[in-house]
Amino acid sequence: MRARARVLLCWTFLCVIALTGAAAGAATPHDKANATTYVREVELSIPLAGPSIVAIGGDQSVWVSLAKAGKILRISDDGQQQAYSLPPGSFPVGLLVELEGNVWFTDIRKNQIVRLVPSTGEFRHYDVPTAN
């Protein structure tokens, strides 16, 4: 059975990730008696970035909105980090990863909802029709 990623805690410098999966012979993933938990600390590649929201992608990658840095960060299962830079003045919060892999978030300084297509690095910005 494939391990499932769960985010336990995210601080300014460290993001703690637990991978929990059923051991061989476990009846269900909820069979806690036969489950194994691994905890891995990942130092964020961008210091003082202000991580605010964390989401898990369908491929078990961890996505983090880095509000202070104006970036969206992907942490792959092997710990590799890829940052996607937003336009100057952006402040990304609220994060959702679609099953198809696209990432949606809000940019509260620009009053927009934004879609990121990771395979191309393309951003699509949608203005919110009301102020604030």
Side-chain angles (χ1 to χ4, degrees), residues 7-29:
V7 173
L8 299 177
L9 182 64
C10 197
W11 290 347
T12 302
F13 295 105
L14 293 177
C15 189
V16 179
I17 304 163
L19 302 175
T20 305
T28 70

Side-chain angles (χ1 to χ4, degrees), residues 49-102:
S52 61
I53 303 294
V54 180
I56 306 298
D59 62 353
Q60 301 302 298
S61 60
V62 176
W63 291 86
V64 185
S65 61
L66 303 176
K68 289 183 179 180
K71 298 177 186 287
I72 301 295
L73 182 70
R74 179 184 183 271
I75 304 171
S76 64
D77 203 28
D78 64 0
Q80 295 293 316
Q81 298 181 34
Q82 180 176 2
Y84 297 86
S85 297
L86 295 164
S90 295
F91 199 86
V93 297
L95 191 68
L96 169 81
V97 182
E98 296 178 340
L99 292 176
E100 296 82 13
N102 297 322

